[in-house]
Amino acid sequence: MNHDWPRAPWAHRNPEKEQTHAQSGLHLTAPHPMVSYLHPSAAGGKAMSEVKGTSVQHSHMLSSLELNSEEKKIALELLETEKAYVNRLHLLDQIFFAELMNEARSGKTIPEDVVKMIFSNISSIYQFHSQFFLPELQKRMENWDANSRIGDIIQKVAPFLKMYSEYVKNFDKAVELITTWSEKSLPFQELISNIQRQEISANLTLQHHMLEPVQRIPRYELLLKDYIRKLPPESLDREDAQKALEMIFTAAKHSNAAIAEMERLQNLWEVYHRLGLEDDIVDPSNELIKEGPIQKISFRHNGTSEKYLFLFNNLLLYCVPKVIHVGAEFQVHSRIDVEGMKVRELNDVEFPHAFLVSGKRRTLELQARSQEEMSDWIKAFQTAIDKKEKRNESFKLAIQGSEGEIHNFSVILLTAIHWSILELFAFISCLKAIVEFFQTDKTCSSHCQSEELGKRAPQWVRDKLVTMCMRCKEPFNAITRRRHHCRACGYVVCARCSEYKTELQYDRNGPKRVCVKCYIFLTGHLLPDEHHGKNKGILEKESAEISGQSLMCSFLQLLDKSGKGSTRGWFVIPRDDPLVLYIYAAPQDVKAHTSIPLLGYQVRDMPQNDTRYVFQLTQSKQIYTLLAETEELKQRWMKAIAQAAHGKEEEDSFDELE
């Protein structure tokens, strides 16, 4: 009976290794299943012909005898292939392994450990099949007429097939060792060649014979499936055979899992070598999810630089490629825990395909080379985050958090009992003042959620996106008012508005510079009125806040009267104030430098000249000449301003043009 035997499911092909083996003269092609396997005995052939003769004479018994013949034929095939397989195991264990071990013990040509690594646990496999499985099959076939079944026997042996995992996991390494020591040691090569020339080896290589155990479990599975198909529905062996098949499948999965684990550890070790084998990085429990180059967006220089990311199941390594590859290939700059990590796409006009990775201790703005690459990275990060969250016992953390809040409230309540009435009123007044303060300025909560302020690294606003302090609204300059970043909310502020320091939970390395708003929120300390008592002026609408809820917003250029000079700005028509055009120096500014009431203005298209897309706003003697980047953008602005000038509000907002 012919079978088209497939390659073992765990024996993944490796073209590089196959090429190496081919160059070294090693032929690892799987043996044809008909070679030394299917040799039905003469008695078996005679029995089948007698059954045919009987079926001709007794036509009423044709069906049952044919079925019995098919069942027995498959059982005999299992027995004969098992005999051939045990002969191969004998060759591997009692001849190849034994001869090489004798050579290793008698001389110094090859270490004993190398021989043991080549043959792994082949001795255990040989003993199991020769002393247990094969004798059981032989006894059953001798008594087949009285007990026509094999499912119960395979059920007994199936759990022991898990020992193949160790052998299969070691197979590639074993082949590499044979190749290496054949080139390295002439006695090793001659000994193997002598055995391969013997009749028992059938002129086949050692590697060819070693492939047999790798392919054995799938062959059991195929034979058993064929056996079950041939069984009649009422067969007593059907239930046992079905259970045996399930157990064989489990053994195969066990081997697959062993191979997958081996490949994971091997890949992990290679990554660690590229990182310089730093002790605090090497962890065999890690799983590499994704790696690759990425562009890091700089908040200082408004540009990008080449970096490299290694994303594991519990850790992100933010690395810099080394110019000189001596030892490690990369230098690790930052480690960001996956726990508490967040990832989202950035709708950035200047840097397309950008996304934000926010960890508890550091936040990165990254740019991919394409939309597809960005999506792949975000998906990989989200996969790591989801896996981490599933492993964490979130409900226990929630309970602990609730208990902590109750405890803190109890402490405050018990303390308040001992206060005097005047002290209690003073404490309540202080709390009211803090609440009123933040109600008048919600910029901090809009950029960084108040419950996370100081607990995780913020997204820093890039320097080039602001021209004035995001707290006091005073313009920056290079001498008297320089830019600083608040370490709590990430805003760009001046020195006067960031002259405070406080401890932050995400960074335990001492007090950090924070802005006045974050200082009050984090410490509860009130400041004199001159620091925060100023009311907002008409121009003090935050660009980032109103751009997200605008009828129209984008960059335009305001031309001077000569039409040659221009000032680039961020133009916004707010949804809540649709009759006014606000002009900001940068998209993240908290104060507009100009506002134009649009009611009564006329919009006039200008003829296109030198690929410039120009239009004008005119009212009496007042003329504003504006330059857009594209014709489409110009037409959209003209439509939006014309409607605002007539007191009409567009139902659908105009999205920011990227």
Side-chain angles (χ1 to χ4, degrees), residues 66-341:
E66 283 183 346
L67 286 171
N68 186 55
S69 175
E70 291 295 329
E71 296 164 28
K72 187 174 182 180
K73 185 178 179 182
I74 296 172
L76 284 171
E77 184 178 348
L78 175 61
L79 175 61
E80 294 303 319
T81 58
E82 187 67 16
K83 287 180 180 178
Y85 180 56
V86 169
N87 288 336
R88 294 294 175 88
L89 292 177
H90 176 83
L91 175 64
L92 287 170
D93 182 55
Q94 299 297 307
I95 298 179
F96 276 109
F97 184 34
E99 292 290 338
L100 285 171
M101 281 299 294
N102 289 335
E103 177 66 23
R105 288 166 180 164
S106 61
K108 298 181 179 180
T109 57
I110 180 172
E112 289 186 35
D113 290 343
V114 173
V115 178
K116 291 178 181 179
M117 288 177 65
I118 290 175
F119 291 94
S120 186
N121 62 336
I122 193 67
S123 297
S124 300
I125 295 174
Y126 170 61
Q127 292 174 10
F128 165 71
H129 284 272
S130 63
Q131 299 177 17
F132 182 71
F133 191 18
L134 180 58
E136 288 287 325
L137 281 176
Q138 288 173 327
K139 289 178 184 178
R140 181 56 52 86
M141 294 312 299
E142 290 171 0
N143 195 31
W144 180 260
D145 293 337
N147 191 6
S148 305
R149 52 195 300 183
I150 59 173
D152 57 332
I153 295 177
I154 298 179
Q155 278 193 62
K156 289 181 184 179
V157 305
F160 295 97
L161 297 180
K162 291 183 179 180
M163 72 173 69
Y164 276 79
S165 297
E166 183 179 344
Y167 182 89
V168 173
K169 183 170 61 175
N170 185 66
F171 179 74
D172 284 344
K173 181 65 176 177
V175 172
E176 290 179 6
L177 285 172
I178 294 172
T179 304
T180 300
W181 281 92
S182 294
E183 298 172 353
K184 191 174 182 179
S185 172
L186 183 60
F188 178 87
Q189 182 184 17
E190 290 178 347
L191 180 57
I192 290 178
S193 298
N194 290 335
I195 299 175
Q196 289 175 166
R197 285 193 294 267
Q198 295 177 17
E199 184 178 354
I200 191 174
S201 190
N203 291 321
L204 298 175
T205 64
L206 170 59
Q207 295 89 340
H208 188 102
H209 295 303
M210 291 184 66
L211 190 61
E212 296 273 343
V214 176
Q215 297 177 321
R216 191 57 186 165
I217 293 180
R219 288 176 176 172
Y220 287 141
E221 189 175 353
L222 281 174
L223 279 170
L224 200 51
K225 283 181 179 178
D226 201 10
Y227 176 76
I228 292 172
R229 279 198 299 268
K230 297 299 191 299
L231 285 176
E234 66 276 6
S235 173
L236 297 177
D237 199 24
R238 174 171 288 276
E239 184 177 351
D240 282 339
Q242 193 65 49
K243 288 181 180 178
L245 180 61
E246 293 174 1
M247 296 175 74
I248 292 288
F249 179 73
T250 301
K253 283 182 63 178
H254 192 269
S255 296
N256 288 338
I259 290 296
E261 178 66 9
M262 177 195 68
E263 291 179 348
R264 184 188 70 81
L265 290 173
Q266 184 175 350
N267 293 336
L268 203 59
W269 187 249
E270 291 175 358
V271 169
Y272 291 153
H273 268 284
R274 295 162 66 192
L275 295 171
L277 295 174
E278 297 187 30
D279 293 339
D280 55 346
I281 294 177
V282 176
D283 184 353
S285 65
N286 284 344
E287 175 190 354
L288 180 64
I289 295 177
K290 185 175 176 63
E291 65 167 290
I294 202 74
Q295 292 293 320
K296 165 67 170 61
I297 302 175
S298 171
F299 60 86
R300 289 289 188 198
H301 307 294
N302 205 42
T304 62
S305 57
E306 179 82 12
K307 307 295 180 185
Y308 202 92
L309 301 181
F310 290 94
L311 176 60
F312 297 92
N313 58 314
N314 61 344
L315 182 72
L316 171 66
L317 297 182
Y318 169 65
C319 307
V320 177
K322 285 190 173 181
V323 178
I324 302 176
H325 292 176
V326 178
E329 185 179 346
F330 298 96
Q331 180 180 355
V332 179
H333 266 205
S334 296
R335 301 166 177 82
I336 303 176
D337 290 335
V338 170
E339 185 172 0
M341 181 181 287

Side-chain angles (χ1 to χ4, degrees), residues 371-438:
Q371 184 71 21
E372 181 181 3
E373 184 180 87
M374 181 196 69
S375 300
D376 290 343
W377 271 113
I378 292 178
K379 183 178 179 181
F381 275 106
Q382 198 58 54
T383 298
I385 293 169
D386 293 342
K387 285 183 178 180
K388 188 68 176 179
E389 289 178 349
K390 286 180 181 179
R391 285 193 296 269
N392 290 339
E393 298 177 349
S394 57
F395 67 94
K396 289 185 178 180
L397 295 177
I399 293 173
Q400 292 172 1
S402 300
E403 291 175 350
E405 291 174 1
I406 293 171
H407 174 73
N408 292 338
F409 179 76
S410 301
V411 171
I412 294 175
L413 186 61
L414 290 172
T415 304
I417 292 174
H418 298 282
W419 287 349
S420 66
I421 298 297
L422 291 176
E423 289 173 331
L424 187 59
F425 273 112
F427 174 73
I428 295 173
S429 300
C430 180
L431 290 179
K432 284 183 177 180
I434 294 174
V435 172
E436 289 173 359
F437 172 76
F438 278 98

Side-chain angles (χ1 to χ4, degrees), residues 10 18 24 39 57 73 91 98 107 140 161 168 197 244 275 336 346 350 354 385 449 459 495 515 575-576 586 607:
W10 57 76
E18 290 180 4
S24 60
H39 298 289
Q57 297 175 13
K73 185 178 179 182
L91 175 64
R140 181 56 52 86
L161 297 180
V168 173
R197 285 193 294 267
L275 295 171
I336 303 176
L346 293 175
E350 190 170 0
I385 293 169
Q449 296 182 4
Q459 177 187 2
C515 68
R575 180 179 290 279
D576 60 353

Side-chain angles (χ1 to χ4, degrees), residues 587-603:
Q588 293 287 340
D589 276 356
V590 294
K591 180 180 179 182
H593 62 72
T594 305
S595 65
I596 304 174
L598 296 176
L599 198 61
Y601 270 87
Q602 299 292 324
V603 185

Side-chain angles (χ1 to χ4, degrees), residues 294-563:
I294 202 74
Q295 292 293 320
K296 165 67 170 61
I297 302 175
S298 171
F299 60 86
R300 289 289 188 198
H301 307 294
N302 205 42
T304 62
S305 57
E306 179 82 12
K307 307 295 180 185
Y308 202 92
L309 301 181
F310 290 94
L311 176 60
F312 297 92
N313 58 314
N314 61 344
L315 182 72
L316 171 66
L317 297 182
Y318 169 65
C319 307
V320 177
K322 285 190 173 181
V323 178
I324 302 176
H325 292 176
V326 178
E329 185 179 346
F330 298 96
Q331 180 180 355
V332 179
H333 266 205
S334 296
R335 301 166 177 82
I336 303 176
D337 290 335
V338 170
E339 185 172 0
M341 181 181 287
K342 296 180 181 180
V343 60
R344 63 180 174 86
E345 182 179 354
L346 293 175
N347 295 318
D348 197 304
V349 178
E350 190 170 0
F351 298 98
H353 321 309
F355 60 100
L356 180 76
V357 177
S358 174
K360 288 184 176 180
R361 302 191 65 178
R362 177 150 189 189
T363 296
L364 301 173
E365 290 187 30
L366 306 171
Q367 183 185 29
R369 291 170 292 189
S370 64
Q371 184 71 21
E372 181 181 3
E373 184 180 87
M374 181 196 69
S375 300
D376 290 343
W377 271 113
I378 292 178
K379 183 178 179 181
F381 275 106
Q382 198 58 54
T383 298
I385 293 169
D386 293 342
K387 285 183 178 180
K388 188 68 176 179
E389 289 178 349
K390 286 180 181 179
R391 285 193 296 269
N392 290 339
E393 298 177 349
S394 57
F395 67 94
K396 289 185 178 180
L397 295 177
I399 293 173
Q400 292 172 1
S402 300
E403 291 175 350
E405 291 174 1
I406 293 171
H407 174 73
N408 292 338
F409 179 76
S410 301
V411 171
I412 294 175
L413 186 61
L414 290 172
T415 304
I417 292 174
H418 298 282
W419 287 349
S420 66
I421 298 297
L422 291 176
E423 289 173 331
L424 187 59
F425 273 112
F427 174 73
I428 295 173
S429 300
C430 180
L431 290 179
K432 284 183 177 180
I434 294 174
V435 172
E436 289 173 359
F437 172 76
F438 278 98
Q439 285 178 342
T440 60
D441 190 341
K442 299 179 181 178
T443 56
C444 183
S445 61
S446 64
H447 183 70
C448 180
Q449 296 182 4
S450 58
E451 64 268 17
E452 294 185 340
L453 193 66
K455 297 179 181 180
R456 64 183 302 120
Q459 177 187 2
W460 283 24
V461 177
R462 295 198 292 273
D463 287 359
K464 297 294 183 180
L465 295 180
V466 293
T467 61
M468 61 186 70
C469 175
M470 299 180 74
R471 292 306 180 200
C472 67
K473 288 82 176 177
E474 294 296 330
F476 290 119
N477 59 66
I479 300 176
T480 61
R481 195 175 296 275
R482 301 178 64 184
R483 292 174 171 83
H484 301 274
H485 275 90
C486 171
R487 267 55 175 179
C489 66
Y491 273 19
V492 183
V493 291
C494 65
R496 183 173 180 270
C497 291
S498 59
E499 58 186 3
Y500 313 95
K501 288 189 176 182
T502 187
E503 297 279 352
L504 301 174
Q505 286 190 27
Y506 78 85
D507 191 341
R508 300 292 188 179
N509 297 322
K512 300 299 176 185
R513 177 194 288 265
V514 295
C515 68
V516 56
K517 307 300 182 186
C518 293
Y519 178 78
I520 295 173
F521 183 88
L522 294 170
T523 64
H525 298 163
L526 291 178
L527 301 177
D529 290 342
E530 60 265 20
H531 284 279
H532 57 81
K534 189 175 70 172
N535 294 324
K536 286 188 177 182
I538 190 171
L539 296 178
E540 294 184 24
K541 283 180 173 287
E542 298 164 32
S543 172
E545 182 178 344
I546 67 172
S547 294
Q549 299 179 357
S550 63
L551 295 176
M552 187 71 185
C553 62
S554 78
F555 281 108
L556 293 175
Q557 293 189 48
L558 182 62
L559 304 181
D560 58 19
K561 293 182 180 180
S562 66

